[in-house]
Amino acid sequence: MSYLLITAVILVCSLRAIRTGRLLISALWLAGASAAVAVLMYMLGAPEVAVIELSVGAGLVTVLFVFAINIAGDDPLPRRPAIPKPLSWVLIAGSLALLGWLTLSALRLPPPVPEASRFAEVVWERRTLDVLLQVVLIFGGVLAVLGLLHEPDRGTAKENRS
Amino acid sequence: MNVSLPAAAFVAVLGLLGIGLYGLLVTRSLIRVIVALQILVKGAMVALLLAGRLSGQIQTGQSLALTVIVADTIVAVVALSLAVQVRRHFGTLDVQSLTTLRR
């Protein structure tokens, strides 16, 4: 029963995040969905990733959204959707039906062999390349953001024009 | 009604993927596009963990989900910076109004 409840909370929060009018409220619903996903991750037996998802997904990303929305503004946009809604529902239903059919037919897995490793051992010893790539991604992201948000010096711009 | 955890997680995966896809198809705001992407990626993360649990390799599933969290956060940060700059330069976040390539 609790599994159904947490799934319902995830889906309701996600749907409200898409359908609500104001961007700030949408970011808050997304934070609620992230927190519920973290609880589901804990139930699936992944406590380490659940904590990281809670702090990064529900915490850091929400702060970033609030920051960006405050700078960019929350102006109302026309309600007319980019694609007609009936067409979008058909496309989504078709995609999910195909995904569900393909996944269910592949779920005849052999009996699971319990993994003896710990999370730290898997991350630091078996997937060291993943960790290095994450570090490179983080540095690349920081450089990208610095480049995107850089404002040219007005004095230099005037000199270049003259 | 007794529903098993893998079944509930599978429903959550399909629901998150469907809602994220719906958001990408119908939304006009650039920031809401990023919200929809975040929802999609959460579905992918839960799918990875579900696969890890079903195959008995939950630690491997966790390490893959960790990589996805890091990549997703970086994508969100860069995309939000792009959205802020788009708003500053074009005055709007409406994806259908951003038609400079046609000029």
Side-chain angles (χ1 to χ4, degrees):
Chain A
M1 186 63 183
S2 60
Y3 306 144
L4 263 183
L5 183 64
I6 204 69
T7 303
V9 169
I10 290 170
L11 297 181
V12 164
C13 289
S14 307
L15 200 57
R16 293 300 302 159
I18 295 297
R19 289 181 63 86
T20 194
R22 294 192 55 198
L23 287 175
L24 211 55
I25 308 296
S26 178
L28 293 176
W29 280 114
L30 181 65
S34 299
V37 164
V39 172
L40 182 61
M41 287 176 170
Y42 179 77
M43 287 176 173
L44 283 169
E48 290 92 352
V49 164
V51 163
I52 293 169
E53 169 64 17
L54 194 61
S55 51
V56 172
L60 173 67
V61 170
T62 307
V63 168
L64 290 172
F65 268 106
V66 169
F67 187 62
I69 291 165
N70 275 334
I71 295 175
D74 195 357
D75 303 328
L77 290 175
R79 300 287 287 185
R80 189 167 35 91
I83 291 177
K85 281 191 182 175
L87 177 61
S88 63
W89 282 117
V90 166
L91 289 172
I92 291 163
S95 307
L96 290 183
L98 184 61
L99 179 67
W101 175 66
L102 288 172
T103 311
L104 284 173
S105 61
L107 275 179
R108 287 179 234 106
L109 294 167
V113 176
E115 196 177 21
S117 315
R118 294 178 302 120
F119 177 59
E121 184 186 322
V122 171
V123 168
W124 292 107
E125 292 178 21
R126 290 195 206 164
R127 306 200 70 86
T128 316
L129 189 57
D130 274 359
V131 175
L132 289 173
L133 285 173
Q134 286 170 36
V135 172
V136 168
L137 258 178
I138 291 169
F139 275 109
V142 168
L143 289 173
V145 170
L146 285 174
L148 279 169
L149 296 179
H150 169 68
E151 292 286 341
D153 185 18
R154 287 186 186 170
T156 313
K158 278 185 187 170
E159 279 173 18
N160 288 340
R161 268 187 247 131
S162 62
Chain B
M1 189 167 101
N2 264 341
V3 176
S4 67
L5 177 58
F10 189 61
V11 168
V13 168
L14 287 182
L16 284 167
L17 292 177
I19 291 169
L21 198 56
Y22 171 71
L24 283 180
L25 286 175
V26 303
T27 193
R28 294 178 66 143
S29 166
L30 203 49
I31 291 185
R32 212 181 295 278
V33 165
I34 302 168
V35 170
L37 274 173
Q38 291 288 302
I39 293 170
L40 266 175
V41 171
K42 282 181 207 320
M45 277 193 278
V46 175
L48 279 170
L49 291 175
L50 177 61
R53 183 183 168 100
L54 289 176
S55 61
Q57 306 283 319
I58 188 63
Q59 307 300 351
T60 305
Q62 278 201 95
S63 68
L64 292 172
L66 175 64
T67 307
V68 170
I69 288 174
V70 170
D72 175 47
T73 307
I74 298 298
V75 164
V77 166
V78 173
L80 285 171
S81 309
L82 268 172
V84 165
Q85 288 298 71
V86 161
R87 180 69 171 88
R88 277 181 186 165
H89 286 279
F90 299 107
T92 180
L93 287 172
D94 187 351
V95 293
Q96 292 204 316
S97 303
L98 300 171
T99 56
T100 53
L101 284 176
R102 286 192 211 160
R103 288 187 207 145

